[in-house]
Amino acid sequence: MRSSPAAPASDLLQADDRRGPWQPAARRDSLWQRLRLLVITQLWDAYCRARSQPEQPTQPAHIAARVISAARIQMRRDWLLVGSNIRLRAGVLSHWLRGRQPSMTAEAFQSRWCHEEVLCSRPAEVTEPPHMHWTAAHPVPLPR
């Protein structure tokens, strides 16, 4: 019996094709979705930029750096929710923030971003920023 061929990487990225043999681990599914959307967003931004500014081509390394930067920004934003309630700190009416969780536990942050401490790791104190390991520096540091 032959196994079905793996889905092309573009299908996995664009359509999140789950028909092939590759699947993210169940505990990493939300991280896969989050990173997948970050990549798609940056690819779309690069496409739109190339269409509006054809004289300034975007290099793949720039797109990769923007993906990493966007992920790091999202990690920092989520960390701001740990130990505080954005509805109390936002300076706007709380009903404007409907649909967004007002706070997050350190455990929820760790579950969302700190899988095997590859992308980042949780600091000992809530007052410290998370330790970001994912970087565009070359060579890429190996996970611990």
Side-chain angles (χ1 to χ4, degrees):
M1 183 162 104
R2 286 180 52 185
S3 63
S4 62
S10 60
D11 289 354
L12 269 174
L13 182 64
Q14 294 170 1
D16 195 22
D17 191 341
R18 303 282 176 117
R19 294 173 293 181
W22 183 85
Q23 300 287 323
R27 68 183 194 278
R28 293 188 183 133
D29 191 54
S30 65
L31 179 62
W32 161 251
Q33 293 298 336
R34 195 168 278 107
L35 294 176
R36 181 179 153 267
L37 289 174
L38 282 170
V39 170
I40 290 170
T41 301
Q42 295 307 317
L43 288 172
W44 181 253
D45 181 64
Y47 170 79
C48 292
R49 192 182 315 258
R51 299 274 300 182
S52 66
Q53 302 169 356
E55 67 282 351
Q56 296 178 339
T58 302
Q59 301 298 318
H62 294 142
I63 297 170
R66 287 184 184 129
V67 168
I68 293 169
S69 175
R72 290 170 63 103
I73 288 168
Q74 188 61 53
M75 287 179 224
R76 282 189 207 103
R77 285 182 182 162
D78 283 351
W79 184 251
L80 289 175
L81 299 177
V82 175
S84 66
N85 185 324
I86 61 169
R87 290 187 177 149
L88 301 176
R89 295 179 44 202
V92 298
L93 299 172
S94 63
H95 69 276
W96 289 6
L97 302 170
R98 255 182 289 171
R100 172 112 177 151
Q101 292 295 333
S103 62
M104 178 183 287
T105 65
E107 291 75 23
F109 177 86
Q110 183 164 349
S111 168
R112 180 176 283 186
W113 293 109
C114 301
H115 296 278
E116 299 177 19
E117 296 187 350
V118 172
L119 302 179
C120 75
S121 57
R122 186 176 102 182
E125 297 293 324
V126 175
T127 56
E128 298 175 27
H131 307 290
M132 303 287 182
H133 305 297
W134 197 19
T135 177
H138 185 75
V140 177
L142 294 173
R144 291 187 253 167

